[in-house]
Amino acid sequence: MNIAVFSSHDGSDLQALIDGCKDGKIDGKVCVVISNNSDAFSLERARKENIDNYHISSSVHHDANDLDLKILEILENHNIDIIFLAGYLKKIGIPILQKYNNSIFNIHPALLPKFGGKDMYGMNVHKAVIKAKELVSGVTIHRVNEEYDSGDIVAQTQIDVIENDTPETLSVKILDCEHTFLVEVVNDIVSGRIKLGK
Ligand code: GRF
């Protein structure tokens, strides 16, 4: 299976996916990386691994439709089966959602449907979890639709929030957990245990 990864920042989840494919834990290949952020370290990770990578953003493609068409062209050129959003902070356009219906997934660093939606990303999520005095948090992988964090949940794993946890300690634990969980779940997708929409 050919996987496209969209990433806006560091790309540690991207790296976990690349390594999972290289180690044979995922029967697939990361064929292309797309970022809306030209400074994203994820683009550098892709370059180091000789993976085609593209900076596609509204600063270059002013028209939203042009931007979606450019992304679609790249996905089609790489015969992409699955799109994985790993720390990608932009909404996915309708033409892409229609073409890759139910085959686009996102990873979120909390137990959706709690602590999701607009502005619920990065440390904002962990701050909200600690503020709400939750006893558990975790990782959610869900299908992507036109709203933030609201598509069907395909997998979740929990992590205890302990008394001394801060947003920072929780973020480290969760990111670490993501790197293992992501590989397991993407392999479930690739191997058909979690169905694609096509
Ligand atoms: C993770 O917390 C993930 O859930 C998210 O962005 C973070 C991954 O960042 N939505 P990165 O892969 O290290 O850039």
Side-chain angles (χ1 to χ4, degrees):
M1 286 258 186
N2 290 347
I3 305 167
V5 180
F6 289 32
S7 161
S8 300
H9 294 295
D10 177 59
S12 69
D13 282 348
L14 162 69
Q15 192 67 53
L17 285 175
I18 294 171
D19 294 344
C21 292
K22 287 205 301 196
D23 296 347
K25 292 179 184 160
I26 299 172
D27 187 13
K29 185 167 184 241
V30 178
C31 298
V32 66
V33 174
I34 292 178
S35 182
N36 60 308
N37 172 7
S38 60
D39 293 331
F41 189 60
S42 48
L43 291 174
E44 180 59 26
R45 291 183 193 268
R47 282 192 281 273
K48 278 191 192 144
E49 304 278 349
N50 285 321
I51 296 171
D52 283 350
N53 58 89
Y54 299 86
H55 166 228
I56 308 283
S57 88
S58 54
S59 59
V60 183
H61 301 275
H62 301 290
D63 181 88
N65 200 46
D66 283 354
L67 184 140
D68 288 340
L69 290 180
K70 182 68 200 165
I71 292 178
L72 274 176
E73 182 188 313
I74 293 168
L75 298 172
E76 281 163 20
N77 287 343
H78 289 82
N79 293 315
I80 292 303
D81 302 296
I82 298 169
I83 301 171
F84 208 92
L85 310 186
Y88 186 66
L89 300 180
K90 294 281 171 189
K91 275 191 180 171
I92 298 297
I94 301 288
I96 303 169
L97 290 171
Q98 283 171 344
K99 174 85 204 281
Y100 290 89
N101 182 29
N102 282 333
S103 303
I104 311 177
F105 299 86
N106 179 50
I107 184 162
H108 184 80
L111 295 174
L112 292 174
K114 281 178 150 183
F115 307 107
K118 194 174 181 312
D119 298 330
M120 272 295 172
Y121 60 86
M123 288 306 282
N124 294 351
V125 176
H126 306 302
K127 281 180 189 161
V129 168
I130 295 289
K131 191 168 174 211
K133 300 194 187 319
E134 295 288 312
L135 299 178
V136 287
S137 187
V139 179
T140 302
I141 294 178
H142 65 92
R143 294 185 201 272
V144 172
N145 62 17
E146 59 279 9
E147 298 303 330
Y148 289 114
D149 302 327
S150 62
D152 289 346
I153 292 171
V154 298
Q156 282 186 316
T157 187
Q158 291 197 353
I159 283 194
D160 289 338
V161 181
I162 59 169
E163 210 182 326
N164 293 333
D165 266 332
T166 62
E168 289 72 22
T169 62
L170 189 57
S171 78
V172 171
K173 286 197 291 191
I174 288 195
L175 193 58
D176 193 43
C177 169
E178 281 184 30
H179 297 155
T180 316
F181 189 58
L182 185 57
V183 171
E184 289 167 11
V185 176
V186 170
N187 193 44
D188 283 346
I189 296 168
V190 164
S191 62
R193 284 188 291 276
I194 294 172
K195 298 275 174 266
L196 293 180
K198 289 181 201 162

